[in-house]
Amino acid sequence: MEMVAFYYFLAFLLAFFLLSKQFFPKRKNLPPSGPLSFPIIGHLYLFKKPLHQNLARISSQYGPILLLKFGSRRVLLVSSPSAAEECFTTNDIVFANRPRFLSGKYLGFDYTVLALAPYGQHWRNLRRLTTLEIFSSTRLQMFSKTRTNEVHSLLQRLLAIAGNSSETQDMKSMFFELTLNNMMMMIAGKRYYGDNVGVLDKAKHFQELVEEIFGAGGVSNIEDFLPLLKWVNFNGLEKKLVRLQKKRDQFMKELIEEHRMARTQSKDEKSLLDVLLSLQEDDPNYYTDEIIVGIIHVLLIAGTDTTAGTMEWAMSLLLNHPEVLKEAQAEIDAIVGQDRLLNESDISHLPYLHCIINETLRLYPAGPLLVPHESSEECIVGGYSIPRGTMLLVNLWAIQKDPNLWEEPTKFIPERMESIEGVRDGYKLMPFGSGRRSCPGEGLALRVVGLTLGSLIQCFEWERVDEELIDMTEGTGLTMPKAKPLEAKCKPRPAMLSFLSQL
Ligand code: HEM
């Protein structure tokens, strides 16, 4: 009898153990969840723009590793170099995925577009293809003349209007035009901005499209976190995305059609579109028009506003710090001289210019929260368990301005970059991200920014339009635009006039 009772007792224990595992799973060692989280909306009430600034305030109060809830999504917010390092080294593959957003459904981000494609064979294929045809050093070298030509047309344009002392330059548009032309030359072998007014109109539309896409995408739409709002079309986001999708498709499809009609046969000068259309002939089921649109779309979008914005911030900083501008000019005069125009191969011999670019990217990184990542399985960060399917936001803006890591973090001090080679300092400076999903356009962007800024400094004297300092307020938008576009005045340096007039 006693034995029977004992067996009953054992069976009861086993059943309790199994049921408790089922209904009361072991509490995981999750990261702290920061401020109060409400049912359904979670932390969405904290969603104020610019998001990176608001999230930085929360991290400084609650800690560098937080597990927030944006509506129905779990979000790991990381704001320290050591936690970022763990995400991009030990857990790099785990976090190599991208979360799906509503904008992806309409703009093809979820599959066709490299930047937001899920990690896997298709992403590897797109990345390999674009590395080979756009980002490899051979291809970058091949298009060096294109970049030089674009910078020379900018110098010409500035010279033509600089004579008029009352004329101010809209630097934002000029930088955008330059980067778009560069990208279009690499992608389709044609410029978009030029003397032809019809083409100019088309390109203006494209600039608006880029701005709209950056405004509509990413982590700032609350519809992405509260499915209910999608159904009631809360902000009219879906309507906006459908309109954007139509606009984008029309632009891209026209581009592809035009190109189909006039393909380049020369082996060396093949543009990316030539290559993609040849691949389509061999494998039409994989290289569909949709895939081609996706590839071109991401390169044009990711490669224009980011690079142009960085140049605009850099020029704004220089105009507010004339002593830095003078020193940069002195460096160029000493190393390049005034008897020829600066070229791309000079850039690596101009350490102070390099410091100015790095310091600009520290203060105004074009991807202040990087691009969101997502964990494909459970992992550990900072000793905490991070569940599968968690969206990762690395607050680069907060790390690059952390007073514990940088002295006088909000000040523009290019000299602090003197000991840094390249554009990375561990995980405390990484404007292009890190790991396998880091920016593939880094080399291209640094060439364009270096050559353009260096040439503007070498050839012109620059000043602000009036006594007032340039307004450095950040606008809202994914790539951290300036709230007020930069306007400036310039006049050619006498010693450079003869070279400028020969362009
Ligand atoms: C100053 C200029 C630029 C900055 C600061 C910048 C920064 C970044 C950052 C922070 C990321 C996200 C990294 C991550 O998620 O961890 C990124 C991704 C990306 N960037 Fe850039 N970028 C710049 C220029 C460019 C250019 C010129 C191109 C191409 C023409 C480009 C193409 C891309 C692509 C395709 C991705 C997505 C990569 C992937 O998901 O595999 N970027 N960039």
Side-chain angles (χ1 to χ4, degrees):
M1 185 64 197
E2 270 171 13
M3 275 313 275
V4 174
F6 177 66
Y7 285 129
Y8 271 127
F9 180 60
L10 270 189
F12 169 76
L13 271 187
L14 186 66
F16 180 76
F17 174 69
L18 291 176
L19 283 174
S20 65
K21 270 201 96 148
Q22 172 91 21
F23 293 112
F24 307 105
K26 197 168 154 252
R27 269 182 74 89
K28 296 257 169 71
N29 178 27
L30 299 175
S33 60
L36 193 64
S37 164
F38 288 99
I40 302 174
I41 62 165
H43 293 101
L44 277 182
Y45 67 99
L46 302 166
F47 238 61
K48 289 186 203 109
K49 291 181 183 173
L51 190 60
H52 53 271
Q53 289 191 16
N54 205 31
L55 293 179
R57 266 191 294 277
I58 294 167
S59 299
S60 67
Q61 211 181 334
Y62 293 94
I65 304 178
L66 294 175
L67 192 65
L68 304 177
K69 285 281 292 211
F70 286 0
S72 53
R73 276 191 209 215
R74 235 182 268 112
V75 178
L76 174 66
L77 175 64
V78 156
S79 316
S80 77
S82 57
E85 179 173 4
E86 264 187 83
C87 295
F88 295 135
T89 52
T90 330
N91 296 314
D92 192 32
I93 293 194
V94 176
F95 281 117
N97 239 339
R98 299 283 192 205
R100 281 168 180 248
F101 289 117
L102 194 58
S103 48
K105 185 172 150 198
Y106 292 98
L107 299 170
F109 285 165
D110 49 347
Y111 183 60
T112 54
V113 173
L114 170 65
L116 295 174
Y119 180 65
Q121 189 52 42
H122 178 65
W123 170 80
R124 272 193 291 277
N125 205 21
L126 293 181
R127 182 103 181 189
R128 198 176 325 111
L129 180 75
T130 45
T131 301
L132 202 70
E133 301 302 336
I134 294 268
F135 303 122
S136 66
S137 30
T138 322
R139 289 299 274 184
L140 286 182
Q141 195 48 44
M142 193 183 288
F143 283 99
S144 150
K145 186 107 188 27
T146 302
R147 292 188 290 277
T148 307
N149 287 344
E150 287 310 322
V151 172
H152 287 178
S153 1
L154 172 66
L155 297 177
Q156 255 176 326
R157 246 172 103 183
L158 286 170
L159 180 68
I161 32 186
N164 182 349
S165 59
S166 62
E167 191 91 46
T168 60
Q169 321 292 346
D170 168 5
M171 303 306 293
K172 183 188 166 97
S173 298
M174 288 202 192
F175 289 142
F176 188 87
E177 289 161 23
L178 180 140
T179 49
L180 179 58
N181 269 345
N182 259 326
M183 289 309 302
M184 287 298 288
M185 282 298 289
M186 294 177 91
I187 289 171
K190 69 184 231 181
R191 301 177 75 220
Y192 243 73
Y193 282 98
D195 314 319
N196 181 330
V197 177
V199 172
L200 192 77
D201 275 353
K202 216 171 180 183
K204 277 265 177 259
H205 283 140
F206 184 73
Q207 183 172 359
E208 284 159 21
L209 181 67
V210 173
E211 281 165 9
E212 279 185 81
I213 287 175
F214 273 127
V219 282
S220 48
N221 293 319
I222 57 170
E223 287 90 333
D224 273 311
F225 306 108
L226 290 176
L228 188 68
L229 294 186
K230 271 183 249 175
W231 298 329
V232 295
N233 201 10
F234 176 67
N235 266 338
L237 178 67
E238 260 186 299
K239 255 194 202 156
K240 194 157 85 185
L241 289 170
V242 171
R243 191 176 46 78
L244 268 180
Q245 183 190 31
K246 274 197 191 137
K247 248 172 135 176
R248 177 202 75 158
D249 285 354
Q250 192 186 338
F251 178 89
M252 299 292 170
K253 288 204 166 128
E254 270 176 29
L255 189 67
I256 296 176
E257 268 327 301
E258 269 174 35
H259 209 80
R260 258 200 195 104
M261 311 295 249
R263 277 176 59 189
T264 311
Q265 295 308 324
S266 152
K267 200 165 181 286
D268 283 349
E269 286 175 6
K270 268 191 172 173
S271 67
L272 178 66
L273 257 177
D274 289 319
V275 175
L276 289 171
L277 291 174
S278 309
L279 288 170
Q280 189 176 54
E281 277 166 12
D282 296 342
D283 187 355
N285 291 333
Y286 183 72
Y287 292 101
T288 56
D289 273 7
E290 213 192 349
I291 290 277
I292 297 181
V293 165
I295 294 174
I296 301 167
H297 169 117
V298 81
L299 294 175
L300 285 175
I301 300 286
T304 46
D305 232 23
T306 46
T307 313
T310 302
M311 295 196 279
E312 195 190 356
W313 283 115
M315 273 313 277
S316 307
L317 286 163
L318 290 174
L319 287 166
N320 280 351
H321 296 84
E323 70 294 349
V324 176
L325 182 55
K326 241 193 177 128
E327 194 163 338
Q329 206 166 51
E331 178 184 71
I332 294 173
D333 289 348
I335 292 170
V336 183
Q338 293 191 321
D339 46 13
R340 68 174 174 87
L341 291 174
L342 177 146
N343 61 47
E344 234 175 58
S345 58
D346 293 316
I347 306 299
S348 56
H349 305 295
L350 298 168
Y352 196 63
L353 181 65
H354 165 79
C355 291
I356 291 171
I357 297 169
N358 272 6
E359 181 69 344
T360 305
L361 287 165
R362 180 185 72 81
L363 288 167
Y364 302 101
L369 292 169
L370 302 183
V371 176
H373 294 237
E374 189 176 279
S375 58
S376 53
E377 57 187 69
E378 190 174 323
C379 64
I380 304 286
V381 175
Y384 299 112
S385 285
I386 311 300
R388 175 172 184 257
T390 302
M391 178 165 113
L392 167 69
L393 291 181
V394 175
N395 197 340
L396 186 66
W397 186 87
I399 295 175
Q400 293 189 166
K401 278 197 171 157
D402 184 341
N404 299 314
L405 302 168
W406 306 92
E407 253 175 59
E408 301 188 279
T410 54
K411 285 204 176 149
F412 176 59
I413 310 175
E415 290 72 11
R416 72 167 103 226
M417 296 290 166
E418 270 164 7
S419 58
I420 295 169
E421 254 189 55
V423 78
R424 275 188 183 75
D425 185 6
Y427 290 81
K428 71 184 233 210
L429 177 76
M430 46 163 180
F432 294 94
S434 189
R436 65 194 64 214
R437 296 267 349 205
S438 66
C439 177
E442 175 180 333
L444 173 60
L446 291 176
R447 278 174 169 82
V448 174
V449 174
L451 180 66
T452 312
L453 283 183
S455 305
L456 295 183
I457 297 170
Q458 185 195 28
C459 296
F460 291 90
E461 300 292 356
W462 289 92
E463 55 182 61
R464 299 190 293 264
V465 291
D466 52 35
E467 297 282 285
E468 293 263 306
L469 284 180
I470 306 286
D471 182 345
M472 301 298 278
T473 313
E474 285 174 31
T476 52
L478 282 187
T479 53
M480 227 172 77
K482 268 182 98 269
K484 269 196 188 162
L486 172 66
E487 300 225 334
K489 275 183 172 178
C490 69
K491 54 178 192 289
R493 296 176 77 199
M496 301 309 293
L497 250 176
S498 58
F499 300 104
L500 286 171
S501 45
Q502 280 166 34
L503 286 173

